[in-house]
Amino acid sequence: MTNHTSKYWISTHEAIPIQTRMILNEYLLSLKLANKAETTISKYRSILERFCSECLVPLSSLTSKDVLKWVNKFSIGKKESTMIIILSILSSFFKSCLAEDLWIVW
């Protein structure tokens, strides 16, 4: 029997609302199915869990201004190279959500 924690592509972060976690897990699974490296998926999961648990705006009303506010707060003290990675991860996630016609309202 497989231990749930060994499924690195599944978020179990309890501070993330269930519906948001389902969307996040669908996205992470798509990365796994696209044969992305475990370390890549784990990094994406970590950053997206942080965003989804810290950005307090409900996903049904999330706007680009809300994302920018979180990014500005998160970026304090971070290197430019780190922020490029963070923005790339967020962009990939949001593009996927838009392509699937999910919750994001721009």
Side-chain angles (χ1 to χ4, degrees):
M1 187 173 234
T2 308
N3 185 341
H4 187 68
T5 58
S6 68
K7 294 183 178 179
Y8 59 90
W9 67 93
I10 296 176
S11 173
T12 57
H13 198 293
E14 293 183 7
I16 300 172
I18 259 284
Q19 183 178 358
T20 303
R21 221 177 323 141
M22 288 173 52
I23 293 167
L24 174 57
N25 285 333
E26 185 175 319
Y27 173 71
L28 295 170
L29 177 60
S30 75
L31 296 178
K32 182 179 184 319
L33 295 174
N35 293 319
K36 300 294 183 187
E38 179 177 341
T39 54
T40 299
I41 296 170
S42 294
K43 180 69 172 176
Y44 274 54
R45 189 192 72 239
S46 173
I47 296 302
L48 292 170
E49 283 178 336
R50 184 155 182 188
F51 173 79
C52 292
S53 65
E54 291 179 0
C55 186
L56 302 177
V57 177
L59 294 178
S60 60
S61 59
L62 187 67
T63 67
S64 56
K65 288 180 182 181
D66 299 318
V67 176
L68 181 60
K69 182 178 177 182
W70 181 84
V71 166
N72 287 337
K73 183 178 176 183
F74 179 81
S75 68
I76 297 170
K78 303 285 190 296
K79 294 180 184 179
E80 182 180 349
S81 58
T82 299
M83 289 315 301
I84 290 170
I85 292 168
I86 301 305
L87 293 172
S88 176
I89 291 170
L90 290 173
S91 177
S92 175
F93 177 62
F94 294 142
K95 284 179 184 177
S96 175
C97 290
L98 287 171
E100 297 296 322
D101 198 26
L102 298 174
W103 43 261
I104 300 182
V105 177
W106 297 97

